[in-house]
Amino acid sequence: MTRPSWDKYFMEITELVASRSTCLRRKVGAVIIKDKRILATGYNGAPSGLNHCLDIGCLRDKLNIPSGERQELCRGIHAEQNAIVQAAKFGISLDGGEIYVTNQPCITCSKLLINSGIKKIVYKNPYPDELAIELLEEAKIILERYEDENR
């Protein structure tokens, strides 16, 4: 029996976290680690205690807003944002950490990850946001696409 690589281990956990998502468009999960230890997790969905899109419908669908545009017109919080907020709520520093995400971060999440001190991002699915990539490169954050070794 072989053990999974660290990347596979954390990405599989990230996919499990994404299964908690309440977004009707895209299920995204995030796991922040440091020294191979999980610091925080997050998935996309409405703020705590508020109605979820699963229950009341998607505002973005109702307004015919294309994916990747007008992020402010959504009741949901991105997975990366929720993971950062979870860490802040419990007083956990993310400085020098890494994040595993099911989808490449958008520009807003990229800026938050830069300021939180994340040094490496491992993502599974691409997201068409060139400005996010430019800022991450400028900040010298490693952006690495995960490739499942079982493929």
Side-chain angles (χ1 to χ4, degrees):
M1 181 174 166
T2 59
R3 296 170 68 195
S5 69
W6 285 111
D7 278 349
K8 183 173 181 62
Y9 173 74
F10 289 122
M11 191 55 74
E12 287 187 2
I13 293 170
T14 302
E15 290 171 341
L16 182 60
V17 171
S19 73
R20 291 279 307 153
S21 169
T22 59
C23 179
L24 297 171
R25 287 185 165 198
R26 184 179 311 209
K27 304 231 179 270
V28 181
V31 174
I32 300 175
I33 68 155
K34 187 172 183 180
D35 299 327
K36 297 185 175 62
R37 302 290 181 258
I38 296 173
L39 302 179
T41 65
Y43 54 87
N44 57 330
S48 297
L50 300 185
N51 291 320
H52 294 286
C53 297
L54 281 176
D55 302 321
I56 63 171
C58 175
L59 175 63
R60 295 173 59 76
D61 281 347
K62 289 175 188 169
L63 298 174
N64 293 317
I65 298 171
S67 180
E69 296 179 15
R70 304 291 315 269
Q71 296 173 12
E72 73 279 7
L73 295 177
C74 178
R75 67 186 300 109
I77 301 171
H78 289 189
E80 302 94 323
Q81 295 167 9
N82 267 327
I84 291 168
V85 168
Q86 183 186 81
K89 186 174 183 177
F90 293 102
I92 300 168
S93 171
L94 304 179
D95 196 35
E98 302 175 16
I99 187 167
Y100 285 77
V101 287
T102 53
N103 294 75
Q104 176 189 319
C106 69
I107 183 63
T108 303
C109 290
S110 294
K111 290 186 280 188
L112 291 170
L113 292 168
I114 290 166
N115 275 2
S116 68
I118 293 294
K119 299 299 179 201
K120 181 178 180 183
I121 299 168
V122 180
Y123 69 95
K124 187 170 186 177
N125 302 305
Y127 185 75
D129 194 330
E130 291 301 317
L131 183 54
I133 293 170
E134 284 179 34
L135 290 181
L136 292 169
E137 287 175 354
E138 184 179 341
K140 296 184 178 25
I141 293 177
I142 299 166
L143 184 62
E144 181 179 292
R145 184 160 184 197
Y146 171 78
E147 297 291 337
D148 190 344
E149 58 256 24
N150 290 339
R151 286 184 174 193

